[in-house]
Amino acid sequence: MAADAAAWLIEAEAAAFAALRAGTAAWALPCFDRLSDRWPDSARLHWLRALLLREEQSHEAALRAAQEAVRRAADDPRAQALIAQLRYETGRTAAADFAAARQLAPDDPGLIRGQAGALAAEGEGAGALALLDRALADRPGWVEGQAYRATLGRLCGIKGREDGGFAAAAALQPRNLALWMAWFHWRAKTKDWAGARDVLAQARRACGDAPAIEVAGLYLAAESGEAQDRPDLFDGHAASGDPGLMLAQVRHALRCGAPDRAAGLAWAQIGTPAASLFWPYLSLCWRLLGDDRASWLDRPEQFISVSQIGLDMVALEELGALLRTLHGAAAPYPDQSVRGGTQTDRPLLFRHEPVVRQVRSAIEAAARDYIDALPPPEPGHPLLGTPRGEVMFAGSWSVRLSAQGYHAAHSHPAGWISSALYVSLPEPAMLGMAPAGWLRFGTPPPELGLDLAPFSAIEPGVGRLVLFPSTLWHGTIPFDDGERLSIAFDVRTPRF
């Protein structure tokens, strides 16, 4: 009988993970609710139910289910790890929980990273860096750990090169090509082109002319702007199936004044899983070419919505006070659009505080109203050609800008609908002359050197919520002084 029960639990676990992979956790949950009610002593069933609840973004219920699993099996490392992760994602202290999980699974590098992130979030940046340094001393080739150590060093404001761990690890493992490439990409995303070039030269001396090094060199030449007179730069890689390399080709073609070539490359990716990366660039290509499909895609006058969120000033002030406590970083992440400010870590709208639950409820209602007001479905359109049955988040965060702060022009390939919700703004006299501090749509990234005027600009206002397609290029205009505090989120593309 025990053997039969064990086999049945294995099948149940396989079914749960199949639902997670297929995006059908909502359909599997009622079954696991009944199973855990019927066999309440099964730690594994409670753990599986917690995983499904987390996938459905019901984090509080997921945390209770994970805690129930640990009550049944305190030595289960998976359940302990899930509690730590859920506490972290809901804005609770979690460093001690990750430490407890590491006692059960000491060789899991993901738990080391989780504990370091939790320590940093709890104001223990020095402890987080020391933890990572100890772990990397034992495993210098841990590529993700090296990248996170460099990122955390920047966020904590350490002096000197944040990526010194990469240099030490490469000296110990000079033939580790993955390590060299991770170091190169770290420097590239910080726009340290000279540093990236130096890393690539060292990698070539250590590993020879590996294909990855060749591709990295092409990317460097294109993104640094040094190859603007070489439209044939990527000719030997035109048929690559790598979305990142294809995106670099599209951007390079635009820099070289060849929007027709860029459009062809981008269009070839529509219909692939990477399509969301390329729609914003198709907009630029079509606008430059005078192609009517740009109007079909963007429709800013139809797709940009401005409304007041359903929160009074008391709630907005309470929300602002909470958000300020979360902006403890010394600098923004290197690959974010923030200039002159900071962006919070962790999924903001999953936090446990009552005021965050209140704002999440108001945001979900506003997003549902926006979706319900969209024009009829249009197959093939990235906004209108998808199902409309759920409102789930691909990400949520807060941005705090100070004097001369702004967002560089960008888009949100992870989202379906994107947003800006203004929580606190400088006094009018501190903003500067209009449109200082406004949200602007349609301006391309400046590094592409494209002469395209913006579609429009939206004036910020406390409690004002702006919703728009994630494919739209957007950024903000610098302002004179004060604090510009906002929340942003992406609604993910519905699955059904």
Side-chain angles (χ1 to χ4, degrees):
M1 187 66 178
D4 290 343
W8 180 85
L9 275 174
I10 290 171
E11 291 183 8
E13 185 170 322
F17 278 97
L20 291 168
R21 287 191 300 271
T24 56
W27 299 341
L29 260 172
C31 174
F32 280 84
D33 289 344
R34 293 191 295 270
L35 290 173
S36 27
D37 284 344
R38 185 168 181 181
W39 288 285
D41 291 332
S42 172
R44 192 181 302 187
L45 284 176
H46 290 296
W47 171 69
L48 292 170
R49 183 169 172 269
L51 290 175
L52 293 167
L53 285 164
R54 177 175 178 258
E55 177 65 18
E56 286 304 295
Q57 302 184 354
S58 297
H59 281 62
E60 294 300 315
L63 180 56
R64 290 192 294 272
Q67 290 167 336
E68 199 65 34
V70 167
R71 274 194 283 273
R72 272 27 184 216
D75 60 348
D76 185 340
R78 297 179 301 181
Q80 289 279 9
L82 184 55
I83 284 179
Q85 187 64 32
L86 286 165
R87 286 185 60 85
Y88 179 77
E89 291 175 357
T90 56
R92 295 173 165 93
T93 58
D97 300 278
F98 278 111
R102 286 184 60 209
Q103 291 293 318
L104 299 172
D107 295 326
D108 185 343
L111 294 177
I112 300 171
R113 187 192 188 284
Q115 186 180 0
L119 283 168
E122 293 163 30
E124 297 290 338
L129 294 173
L131 172 64
L132 287 170
D133 287 341
R134 290 193 298 272
L136 290 166
D138 293 335
R139 39 170 78 81
W142 178 27
V143 170
E144 183 189 6
Q146 293 288 2
Y148 189 56
R149 171 61 174 81
T151 297
L152 206 56
R154 169 166 290 213
L155 298 181
C156 292
I158 65 168
K159 303 300 182 183
R161 294 213 73 101
E162 309 101 328
D163 59 350
F166 276 115
L172 292 171
Q173 299 184 2
R175 302 288 294 174
N176 188 336
L177 181 59
L179 187 62
W180 286 110
M181 290 297 94
W183 190 9
F184 166 80
H185 285 298
W186 162 260
R187 288 198 169 174
K189 72 181 179 181
T190 66
K191 304 295 190 291
D192 177 7
W193 303 122
R197 193 174 293 109
D198 177 62
V199 168
L200 209 56
Q202 293 183 63
R204 188 173 286 110
R205 287 195 294 271
C207 300
D209 293 323
I213 295 176
E214 178 190 0
V215 169
L218 297 175
Y219 173 85
L220 174 61
E223 289 297 318
S224 66
E226 70 181 45
Q228 284 183 284
D229 59 346
R230 295 175 56 194
D232 61 344
L233 180 69
F234 289 98
D235 278 3
H237 298 269
S240 169
D242 183 317
L245 184 56
M246 295 306 298
L247 188 63
Q249 293 187 52
V250 169
R251 287 171 58 87
H252 184 62
L254 286 169
R255 281 193 183 94
C256 292
D260 51 346
R261 175 176 172 79
L265 292 167
W267 184 252
Q269 299 298 311
I270 302 304
T272 74
S276 62
L277 292 169
F278 294 90
W279 278 116
Y281 290 94
L282 274 173
S283 167
L284 300 179
C285 296
W286 288 339
R287 288 169 66 192
L288 290 166
L289 294 167
D291 192 314
D292 289 343
R293 286 178 291 180
S295 299
W296 167 83
L297 173 62
D298 292 325
R299 300 185 228 183
E301 71 291 336
Q302 190 175 20
F303 291 159
I304 298 173
S305 165
V306 182
S307 62
Q308 286 297 121
I309 197 71
L311 295 173
D312 59 26
M313 287 304 299
V314 173
L316 286 167
E317 289 173 3
E318 182 182 354
L319 178 62
L322 171 64
L323 295 179
R324 291 182 187 97
T325 69
L326 307 181
H327 283 278
Y333 284 81
D335 51 352
Q336 290 174 340
S337 65
V338 177
R339 307 289 186 270
T342 55
Q343 180 169 314
T344 57
D345 203 354
R346 298 193 272 185
L348 181 69
L349 293 180
F350 299 159
R351 293 185 65 91
H352 70 283
E353 293 90 349
V355 70
V356 177
R357 296 190 201 181
Q358 184 181 0
V359 75
R360 175 175 172 175
S361 178
I363 282 170
E364 288 172 338
R368 171 51 58 197
D369 289 343
Y370 177 88
I371 294 166
D372 289 345
L374 288 174
E378 292 184 27
H381 191 282
L383 178 67
L384 303 180
T386 65
R388 303 183 186 183
E390 61 178 1
V391 175
M392 305 284 274
F393 298 104
S396 55
W397 57 95
S398 171
V399 173
R400 189 184 191 191
L401 298 176
S402 54
Q404 298 303 313
Y406 68 99
H407 282 279
H410 63 290
S411 62
H412 290 227
W416 177 50
I417 297 165
S418 295
S419 64
L421 170 60
Y422 300 99
V423 179
S424 180
L425 294 167
E427 294 296 325
M430 299 178 75
L431 269 173
M433 295 290 292
W438 288 28
L439 175 61
R440 185 163 58 187
F441 291 96
T443 302
E447 69 270 16
L448 297 182
L450 304 179
D451 185 18
L452 288 172
F455 297 137
S456 60
I458 303 295
E459 182 179 8
V462 174
R464 182 168 294 168
L465 174 64
V466 186
L467 295 172
F468 52 91
S470 298
T471 52
L472 275 183
W473 292 102
H474 59 286
T476 65
I477 302 168
F479 59 95
D480 286 352
D481 204 355
E483 175 198 61
R484 186 180 184 276
L485 187 63
S486 63
I487 285 176
F489 58 88
D490 289 332
V491 176
R492 77 183 187 195
T493 303
R495 300 163 297 182
F496 51 86

